[in-house]
Amino acid sequence: MGLKGNYGSHTLRKTWGYWQRKGNNAPVPVLMEAFGHATQKQTLDYLGIEEKGTHELYLYEI
């Protein structure tokens, strides 16, 4: 593929999950099951995704 760098199966797994959510709008519970995670937050943290609206909560902090 011409990729430079060191890529492992874990990198591909995270990338797959990220694009399932962002590109295909896969439901978080489905991804949670696929990854074997206990919570939706764990899955979102794993993928580095902040769900829409979550960042707005920080606007209300004093």
Side-chain angles (χ1 to χ4, degrees), residues 16-49:
W16 173 82
Y18 178 87
W19 285 110
Q20 289 302 315
R21 179 67 187 146
K22 296 305 257 186
N24 297 329
N25 204 28
V28 176
V30 172
L31 292 172
M32 187 177 103
E33 175 93 14
F35 290 128
H37 291 160
T39 65
Q40 291 185 27
K41 182 177 180 344
Q42 183 182 11
T43 300
L44 293 172
D45 288 346
Y46 176 75
L47 297 176
I49 296 174

Side-chain angles (χ1 to χ4, degrees), residues 8-21:
S9 59
H10 190 77
T11 302
L12 297 174
R13 179 180 188 246
K14 286 179 77 167
T15 301
W16 173 82
Y18 178 87
W19 285 110
Q20 289 302 315
R21 179 67 187 146

